PDB file of all heavy atoms in Angstrom:
ATOM      1  N   ASP A 261      -4.708  30.170  42.526  1.00 86.00           N
ATOM      2  CA  ASP A 261      -3.206  30.192  42.413  1.00 86.00           C
ATOM      3  C   ASP A 261      -2.812  31.491  42.992  1.00 86.00           C
ATOM      4  O   ASP A 261      -2.996  32.531  42.513  1.00 86.00           O
ATOM      5  CB  ASP A 261      -2.778  30.019  41.005  1.00 86.00           C
ATOM      6  CG  ASP A 261      -1.263  30.190  40.938  1.00 86.00           C
ATOM      7  OD1 ASP A 261      -0.485  30.239  41.887  1.00 86.00           O
ATOM      8  OD2 ASP A 261      -0.758  30.337  39.780  1.00 86.00           O
ATOM      9  N   GLN A 555       3.601  11.372   7.190  1.00 82.00           N
ATOM     10  CA  GLN A 555       4.454  12.307   6.708  1.00 82.00           C
ATOM     11  C   GLN A 555       3.692  13.314   5.842  1.00 82.00           C
ATOM     12  O   GLN A 555       2.950  12.984   5.048  1.00 82.00           O
ATOM     13  CB  GLN A 555       5.523  11.711   5.860  1.00 82.00           C
ATOM     14  CG  GLN A 555       6.890  12.450   6.047  1.00 82.00           C
ATOM     15  CD  GLN A 555       8.011  11.482   5.999  1.00 82.00           C
ATOM     16  OE1 GLN A 555       7.998  10.593   5.135  1.00 82.00           O
ATOM     17  NE2 GLN A 555       8.996  11.690   6.743  1.00 82.00           N
ATOM     18  N   ARG A 724      32.351   6.057 -19.894  1.00 89.00           N
ATOM     19  CA  ARG A 724      33.011   6.959 -19.000  1.00 89.00           C
ATOM     20  C   ARG A 724      34.311   7.514 -19.630  1.00 89.00           C
ATOM     21  O   ARG A 724      34.663   8.699 -19.583  1.00 89.00           O
ATOM     22  CB  ARG A 724      33.245   6.462 -17.563  1.00 89.00           C
ATOM     23  CG  ARG A 724      33.601   7.379 -16.529  1.00 89.00           C
ATOM     24  CD  ARG A 724      33.774   6.736 -15.133  1.00 89.00           C
ATOM     25  NE  ARG A 724      32.591   5.887 -14.907  1.00 89.00           N
ATOM     26  CZ  ARG A 724      32.641   4.607 -14.815  1.00 89.00           C
ATOM     27  NH1 ARG A 724      33.814   3.913 -14.769  1.00 89.00           N
ATOM     28  NH2 ARG A 724      31.587   3.848 -14.460  1.00 89.00           N
ATOM     29  N   LYS A 828      37.038  -8.936  17.542  1.00 88.00           N
ATOM     30  CA  LYS A 828      35.641  -8.755  18.045  1.00 88.00           C
ATOM     31  C   LYS A 828      34.607  -8.675  16.921  1.00 88.00           C
ATOM     32  O   LYS A 828      33.434  -9.049  17.268  1.00 88.00           O
ATOM     33  CB  LYS A 828      35.613  -7.415  18.819  1.00 88.00           C
ATOM     34  CG  LYS A 828      36.385  -7.638  20.173  1.00 88.00           C
ATOM     35  CD  LYS A 828      36.192  -6.545  21.103  1.00 88.00           C
ATOM     36  CE  LYS A 828      36.948  -6.613  22.401  1.00 88.00           C
ATOM     37  NZ  LYS A 828      36.789  -5.558  23.255  1.00 88.00           N
ATOM     38  N   LYS A 840      37.790  -7.387   0.308  1.00 85.00           N
ATOM     39  CA  LYS A 840      37.855  -6.056  -0.289  1.00 85.00           C
ATOM     40  C   LYS A 840      39.363  -5.666  -0.481  1.00 85.00           C
ATOM     41  O   LYS A 840      39.782  -4.918  -1.473  1.00 85.00           O
ATOM     42  CB  LYS A 840      37.207  -5.108   0.701  1.00 85.00           C
ATOM     43  CG  LYS A 840      36.236  -4.161  -0.001  1.00 85.00           C
ATOM     44  CD  LYS A 840      35.768  -3.111   1.056  1.00 85.00           C
ATOM     45  CE  LYS A 840      34.781  -3.652   2.059  1.00 85.00           C
ATOM     46  NZ  LYS A 840      34.198  -2.584   3.017  1.00 85.00           N
TER      47      LYS A 840
ATOM     48  P     A B  14      11.617  10.824   5.177  1.00 59.20           P
ATOM     49  OP1   A B  14      10.448  10.563   5.980  1.00 59.20           O
ATOM     50  OP2   A B  14      12.776  11.407   5.837  1.00 59.20           O
ATOM     51  O5'   A B  14      12.004   9.553   4.330  1.00 59.20           O
ATOM     52  C5'   A B  14      13.260   9.077   4.207  1.00 59.20           C
ATOM     53  C4'   A B  14      13.326   7.989   3.334  1.00 59.20           C
ATOM     54  O4'   A B  14      14.086   8.419   2.109  1.00 59.20           O
ATOM     55  C3'   A B  14      14.090   6.726   3.855  1.00 59.20           C
ATOM     56  O3'   A B  14      13.185   5.901   4.519  1.00 59.20           O
ATOM     57  C2'   A B  14      14.717   6.118   2.671  1.00 59.20           C
ATOM     58  O2'   A B  14      13.777   5.341   1.938  1.00 59.20           O
ATOM     59  C1'   A B  14      15.046   7.370   1.796  1.00 59.20           C
ATOM     60  N9    A B  14      16.381   7.939   2.277  1.00 59.20           N
ATOM     61  C8    A B  14      16.649   9.111   2.870  1.00 59.20           C
ATOM     62  N7    A B  14      17.881   9.421   3.140  1.00 59.20           N
ATOM     63  C5    A B  14      18.517   8.358   2.506  1.00 59.20           C
ATOM     64  C6    A B  14      19.970   7.948   2.400  1.00 59.20           C
ATOM     65  N6    A B  14      20.831   8.741   2.839  1.00 59.20           N
ATOM     66  N1    A B  14      20.218   6.630   1.758  1.00 59.20           N
ATOM     67  C2    A B  14      19.255   6.068   1.330  1.00 59.20           C
ATOM     68  N3    A B  14      17.935   6.297   1.436  1.00 59.20           N
ATOM     69  C4    A B  14      17.619   7.367   1.986  1.00 59.20           C
ATOM     70  P     G B  20      29.916  -1.179   5.687  1.00 59.20           P
ATOM     71  OP1   G B  20      30.328  -2.153   4.652  1.00 59.20           O
ATOM     72  OP2   G B  20      30.818  -0.431   6.410  1.00 59.20           O
ATOM     73  O5'   G B  20      28.896  -0.152   4.896  1.00 59.20           O
ATOM     74  C5'   G B  20      29.315   1.171   4.627  1.00 59.20           C
ATOM     75  C4'   G B  20      30.597   1.268   3.956  1.00 59.20           C
ATOM     76  O4'   G B  20      31.025   0.063   3.405  1.00 59.20           O
ATOM     77  C3'   G B  20      30.759   2.333   2.873  1.00 59.20           C
ATOM     78  O3'   G B  20      31.218   3.592   3.383  1.00 59.20           O
ATOM     79  C2'   G B  20      31.697   1.800   1.826  1.00 59.20           C
ATOM     80  O2'   G B  20      32.961   2.244   2.075  1.00 59.20           O
ATOM     81  C1'   G B  20      31.771   0.263   2.161  1.00 59.20           C
ATOM     82  N9    G B  20      31.143  -0.623   1.196  1.00 59.20           N
ATOM     83  C8    G B  20      29.976  -1.046   0.936  1.00 59.20           C
ATOM     84  N7    G B  20      29.776  -1.860  -0.044  1.00 59.20           N
ATOM     85  C5    G B  20      31.071  -2.065  -0.388  1.00 59.20           C
ATOM     86  C6    G B  20      31.622  -2.937  -1.511  1.00 59.20           C
ATOM     87  O6    G B  20      30.997  -3.611  -2.187  1.00 59.20           O
ATOM     88  N1    G B  20      32.983  -2.660  -1.624  1.00 59.20           N
ATOM     89  C2    G B  20      33.756  -1.936  -0.811  1.00 59.20           C
ATOM     90  N2    G B  20      35.091  -2.017  -1.031  1.00 59.20           N
ATOM     91  N3    G B  20      33.324  -1.258   0.060  1.00 59.20           N
ATOM     92  C4    G B  20      31.955  -1.242   0.305  1.00 59.20           C
ATOM     93  P     G B  40      16.090   9.136 -20.456  1.00 59.20           P
ATOM     94  OP1   G B  40      15.706   7.901 -19.775  1.00 59.20           O
ATOM     95  OP2   G B  40      16.248  10.412 -19.731  1.00 59.20           O
ATOM     96  O5'   G B  40      17.334   8.933 -21.351  1.00 59.20           O
ATOM     97  C5'   G B  40      17.308   7.807 -22.245  1.00 59.20           C
ATOM     98  C4'   G B  40      18.602   7.768 -23.025  1.00 59.20           C
ATOM     99  O4'   G B  40      18.762   8.960 -23.799  1.00 59.20           O
ATOM    100  C3'   G B  40      19.823   7.793 -22.025  1.00 59.20           C
ATOM    101  O3'   G B  40      20.174   6.573 -21.587  1.00 59.20           O
ATOM    102  C2'   G B  40      20.938   8.323 -23.155  1.00 59.20           C
ATOM    103  O2'   G B  40      21.265   7.314 -23.989  1.00 59.20           O
ATOM    104  C1'   G B  40      20.129   9.366 -23.829  1.00 59.20           C
ATOM    105  N9    G B  40      20.221  10.687 -23.191  1.00 59.20           N
ATOM    106  C8    G B  40      19.310  11.321 -22.563  1.00 59.20           C
ATOM    107  N7    G B  40      19.626  12.498 -22.100  1.00 59.20           N
ATOM    108  C5    G B  40      20.991  12.597 -22.616  1.00 59.20           C
ATOM    109  C6    G B  40      21.985  13.683 -22.538  1.00 59.20           C
ATOM    110  O6    G B  40      21.784  14.726 -21.938  1.00 59.20           O
ATOM    111  N1    G B  40      23.160  13.344 -23.069  1.00 59.20           N
ATOM    112  C2    G B  40      23.419  12.219 -23.771  1.00 59.20           C
ATOM    113  N2    G B  40      24.583  12.064 -24.419  1.00 59.20           N
ATOM    114  N3    G B  40      22.449  11.198 -23.960  1.00 59.20           N
ATOM    115  C4    G B  40      21.410  11.517 -23.362  1.00 59.20           C
ATOM    116  P     G B  43      30.229   8.288 -14.503  1.00 59.20           P
ATOM    117  OP1   G B  43      31.527   7.621 -13.930  1.00 59.20           O
ATOM    118  OP2   G B  43      28.881   7.819 -14.045  1.00 59.20           O
ATOM    119  O5'   G B  43      30.348   9.953 -14.056  1.00 59.20           O
ATOM    120  C5'   G B  43      31.548  10.663 -14.048  1.00 59.20           C
ATOM    121  C4'   G B  43      31.318  12.100 -13.867  1.00 59.20           C
ATOM    122  O4'   G B  43      30.141  12.499 -14.621  1.00 59.20           O
ATOM    123  C3'   G B  43      31.041  12.618 -12.463  1.00 59.20           C
ATOM    124  O3'   G B  43      32.137  12.633 -11.674  1.00 59.20           O
ATOM    125  C2'   G B  43      30.430  13.940 -12.846  1.00 59.20           C
ATOM    126  O2'   G B  43      31.632  14.834 -13.127  1.00 59.20           O
ATOM    127  C1'   G B  43      29.623  13.673 -14.013  1.00 59.20           C
ATOM    128  N9    G B  43      28.246  13.673 -13.710  1.00 59.20           N
ATOM    129  C8    G B  43      27.416  12.496 -13.841  1.00 59.20           C
ATOM    130  N7    G B  43      26.272  12.695 -13.494  1.00 59.20           N
ATOM    131  C5    G B  43      26.204  14.096 -13.289  1.00 59.20           C
ATOM    132  C6    G B  43      25.017  14.859 -12.895  1.00 59.20           C
ATOM    133  O6    G B  43      23.893  14.554 -12.730  1.00 59.20           O
ATOM    134  N1    G B  43      25.491  16.266 -12.768  1.00 59.20           N
ATOM    135  C2    G B  43      26.719  16.688 -12.845  1.00 59.20           C
ATOM    136  N2    G B  43      26.960  17.927 -12.644  1.00 59.20           N
ATOM    137  N3    G B  43      27.744  15.905 -13.203  1.00 59.20           N
ATOM    138  C4    G B  43      27.397  14.678 -13.360  1.00 59.20           C
ATOM    139  P     C B  56      34.930  -2.595  22.199  1.00 59.20           P
ATOM    140  OP1   C B  56      35.246  -4.120  22.320  1.00 59.20           O
ATOM    141  OP2   C B  56      35.340  -1.697  23.192  1.00 59.20           O
ATOM    142  O5'   C B  56      35.576  -2.316  20.804  1.00 59.20           O
ATOM    143  C5'   C B  56      36.932  -2.022  20.569  1.00 59.20           C
ATOM    144  C4'   C B  56      37.326  -1.871  19.267  1.00 59.20           C
ATOM    145  O4'   C B  56      37.132  -3.147  18.584  1.00 59.20           O
ATOM    146  C3'   C B  56      36.337  -0.928  18.408  1.00 59.20           C
ATOM    147  O3'   C B  56      36.798   0.451  18.619  1.00 59.20           O
ATOM    148  C2'   C B  56      36.609  -1.516  16.998  1.00 59.20           C
ATOM    149  O2'   C B  56      37.660  -1.050  16.427  1.00 59.20           O
ATOM    150  C1'   C B  56      36.648  -2.944  17.247  1.00 59.20           C
ATOM    151  N1    C B  56      35.352  -3.645  17.125  1.00 59.20           N
ATOM    152  C2    C B  56      34.693  -3.793  15.823  1.00 59.20           C
ATOM    153  O2    C B  56      35.295  -3.300  14.833  1.00 59.20           O
ATOM    154  N3    C B  56      33.484  -4.403  15.764  1.00 59.20           N
ATOM    155  C4    C B  56      32.937  -4.778  16.899  1.00 59.20           C
ATOM    156  N4    C B  56      31.710  -5.491  16.779  1.00 59.20           N
ATOM    157  C5    C B  56      33.408  -4.660  18.143  1.00 59.20           C
ATOM    158  C6    C B  56      34.723  -4.116  18.259  1.00 59.20           C
ATOM    159  P     A B  76      -6.792  32.820  31.779  1.00 59.20           P
ATOM    160  OP1   A B  76      -7.938  32.058  31.940  1.00 59.20           O
ATOM    161  OP2   A B  76      -5.989  32.947  30.498  1.00 59.20           O
ATOM    162  O5'   A B  76      -7.098  34.395  32.089  1.00 59.20           O
ATOM    163  C5'   A B  76      -6.801  34.896  33.319  1.00 59.20           C
ATOM    164  C4'   A B  76      -8.156  34.509  34.194  1.00 59.20           C
ATOM    165  O4'   A B  76      -7.616  33.773  35.323  1.00 59.20           O
ATOM    166  C3'   A B  76      -8.810  35.876  34.736  1.00 59.20           C
ATOM    167  O3'   A B  76     -10.066  35.939  34.002  1.00 59.20           O
ATOM    168  C2'   A B  76      -8.967  35.543  36.163  1.00 59.20           C
ATOM    169  O2'   A B  76     -10.249  35.662  36.502  1.00 59.20           O
ATOM    170  C1'   A B  76      -8.389  34.184  36.387  1.00 59.20           C
ATOM    171  N9    A B  76      -7.648  34.176  37.641  1.00 59.20           N
ATOM    172  C8    A B  76      -7.461  35.233  38.566  1.00 59.20           C
ATOM    173  N7    A B  76      -6.728  34.845  39.540  1.00 59.20           N
ATOM    174  C5    A B  76      -6.297  33.569  39.253  1.00 59.20           C
ATOM    175  C6    A B  76      -5.538  32.703  40.071  1.00 59.20           C
ATOM    176  N6    A B  76      -4.964  32.997  41.195  1.00 59.20           N
ATOM    177  N1    A B  76      -5.356  31.428  39.534  1.00 59.20           N
ATOM    178  C2    A B  76      -5.841  31.160  38.357  1.00 59.20           C
ATOM    179  N3    A B  76      -6.731  31.917  37.571  1.00 59.20           N
ATOM    180  C4    A B  76      -6.849  33.196  38.133  1.00 59.20           C
TER     181        A B  76
END
Side-chain angles (χ1 to χ4, degrees):
Chain A
D261 175 7
Q555 216 146 42
R724 194 176 310 116
K828 295 192 179 176
K840 231 189 284 179

